[in-house]
Amino acid sequence: MHISEGVLSGPVLASGAVLALAGTAIGLKKIDYDHIVHVSILASAFFVASLIHVNIGPSSVHLILNGIVGLLLGFAAIPAILTALLLQSVLFQYGGLTALGVNVVVMAFPAVLVHYLFRPLLGKSPTLTFVGGFLAGMVSIMLSSLLLGLALWFTDKNFFETSLTIIIAHIPVMIIEGIVTGFCVSFLLKVYPEIIPVKK
Amino acid sequence: MKIKRILMLALIFALIPANHAFAHKVIVFAWVEQGYIHTESSFGSKSKAKDCPIIVVDENGRVIHKGRTDSKGNYSFKIPEKVESDLIVNLDAGIGHKAQWRIPKQELIKEHTTEDLKVAMKEKNALEKGPSAFQIIGGIAIIFLLAFGATVLKKRKKS
């Protein structure tokens, strides 16, 4: 899911950087500084998740966990994911530094969207909480795959084929992340409900 | 109730695939040996970049050679004749994953000893090595430090 150096053109990289900066600015304003430890824990989980990878065909996909980060943090997921991606790029050489903005857009923007789509399901009932988590985990990867396809479209010129390849490659990750996110939110709601303030 | 919670936690960890490896940086490594250029492409030591296009260009971007990696991520070819510049080996591992390796011009004409090969292999292994525990823990520590710094700044602004 991490775009390497030298893949995208200048305008695409610049657009990604501008969008990522704007998102980060909003995210920093929306962070609940009294619970910043939650942001740190989730950013750390995202940072480490990419080390767990699954080989699919000629390529290799890895866990991303942007769904659970977005579901629990909302807009604050953008600076959290930006920090984790920056560290992954510098320390692990995952993704190019110049592509950081685009990588943030690809992974963090869907995370914010799933927060607004599926957060209302959490806490309604155990089943709905699991379903909300599952859908957040799955849909965030699907949307990230589409955004990745869109970013690569400007160089590959074949949006549907590229996107389809990416989505197919990430189907196992969608299922795994859906299940992991579903179980995690169900578990957290039971043992540490403060992390998911449920609107009654 | 407690057992149920522990079981749930165990299930979460059980769902995480067992073959986790420290991989996902895209690497192409090339070296010269007995008139051939050998390339090895991977996402780290345990995951090879299989059946991926390799395009070799000169410094001016002129395509010198094209090929594909095999099931082990390897591809070898004879040193092209009349090459006047460094060669750049480009790997396209699909969906935004690209890497390149530059072979200096003098490497193409030099006679390589066993010692040279050993040095090259050492370099390759260092490249393929995954992140160390120090890097992982260090990264997490940086995240928490940044969060702490942001909180302090925010509190100072308020006061």
Side-chain angles (χ1 to χ4, degrees):
Chain A
M1 193 67 84
H2 300 69
I3 299 175
S4 309
E5 213 76 73
V7 174
L8 302 173
S9 62
V12 181
L13 294 173
S15 313
V18 170
L19 284 171
L21 266 175
T24 306
I26 300 169
L28 284 173
K29 274 191 179 172
K30 296 219 171 187
I31 283 182
D32 176 4
Y33 285 88
D34 292 329
H35 294 102
I36 197 148
V37 73
H38 297 164
V39 184
S40 311
I41 291 169
L42 288 160
S44 302
F46 181 93
F47 171 68
V48 176
S50 65
L51 297 173
I52 301 161
H53 84 137
V54 189
N55 293 330
I56 311 287
S59 197
S60 164
V61 290
H62 54 83
L63 288 192
I64 297 161
L65 293 189
N66 56 341
I68 191 163
V69 177
L71 191 63
L72 301 184
L73 296 180
F75 266 99
I78 301 176
I81 290 176
L82 167 81
T83 312
L85 281 174
L86 176 66
L87 288 167
Q88 283 177 350
S89 179
V90 174
L91 296 172
F92 306 159
Q93 290 81 51
Y94 288 4
L97 264 181
T98 56
L100 183 65
V102 177
N103 283 332
V104 169
V105 173
V106 166
M107 289 182 241
F109 282 34
V112 177
L113 193 67
V114 297
H115 172 87
Y116 290 100
L117 287 176
F118 305 115
R119 176 77 182 243
L121 293 177
L122 304 188
K124 298 270 185 216
S125 76
T127 315
L128 279 178
T129 300
F130 181 82
V131 170
F134 181 84
L135 289 174
M138 199 180 81
V139 173
S140 60
I141 301 294
M142 197 189 283
L143 292 174
S144 289
S145 303
L146 277 172
L147 280 175
L148 180 60
L150 192 68
L152 296 174
W153 178 37
F154 296 96
T155 43
D156 278 11
K157 303 283 175 210
N158 199 341
F159 175 64
F160 291 106
E161 203 180 297
T162 310
S163 298
L164 200 67
T165 311
I166 299 165
I167 290 173
I168 290 169
H170 284 85
I171 285 173
V173 184
M174 283 179 212
I175 297 166
I176 293 167
E177 293 224 2
I179 296 169
V180 169
T181 310
F183 272 112
C184 278
V185 288
S186 303
F187 181 72
L188 285 169
L189 209 60
K190 278 182 183 168
V191 298
Y192 189 54
E194 294 87 352
I195 203 166
I196 313 170
V198 176
K199 285 168 196 160
K200 299 274 178 188
Chain B
M1 195 66 187
K2 206 174 177 184
I3 293 169
K4 208 177 162 188
R5 281 177 189 175
I6 293 167
L7 277 175
M8 230 170 169
L9 194 66
L11 232 168
I12 289 169
F13 285 108
L15 285 166
I16 294 171
N19 70 332
H20 52 93
F22 301 113
H24 213 68
K25 56 183 173 185
V26 193
I27 305 162
V28 59
F29 181 81
W31 71 98
V32 183
E33 192 187 346
Q34 292 176 341
Y36 278 83
I37 293 173
H38 302 279
T39 70
E40 209 175 298
S41 306
S42 66
F43 300 98
S45 60
K46 290 186 181 171
S47 177
K48 303 297 176 193
K50 303 163 193 169
D51 195 29
C52 297
I54 293 273
I55 298 171
V56 184
V57 296
D58 65 11
E59 281 179 330
N60 302 316
R62 190 167 61 97
V63 177
I64 303 290
H65 189 86
K66 278 183 177 181
R68 278 189 103 82
T69 60
D70 63 15
S71 60
K72 288 177 179 169
N74 300 329
Y75 180 68
S76 301
F77 57 99
K78 255 192 167 175
I79 297 175
E81 287 172 14
K82 293 175 189 170
V83 177
E84 300 291 320
S85 76
D86 293 358
L87 287 183
I88 298 147
V89 180
N90 291 291
L91 163 75
D92 186 349
I95 53 175
H97 296 139
K98 281 187 181 177
Q100 56 178 223
W101 186 266
R102 181 180 277 262
I103 309 169
K105 190 184 159 191
Q106 55 268 33
E107 280 288 311
L108 301 169
I109 43 173
K110 188 181 151 190
E111 279 291 323
H112 288 85
T113 61
T114 331
E115 199 51 43
D116 290 332
L117 191 63
K118 268 186 191 169
V119 172
M121 288 303 111
K122 218 175 167 183
E123 198 179 346
K124 180 179 84 75
N125 292 338
L127 252 179
E128 286 182 346
K129 219 173 148 193
S132 63
F134 179 75
Q135 283 172 310
I136 298 167
I137 295 165
I140 295 171
I142 292 170
I143 291 171
F144 276 85
L145 272 175
L146 284 172
F148 177 72
T151 314
V152 170
L153 272 176
K154 194 81 186 173
K155 279 187 179 167
R156 270 194 191 170
K157 257 189 181 178
K158 266 188 184 173
S159 60

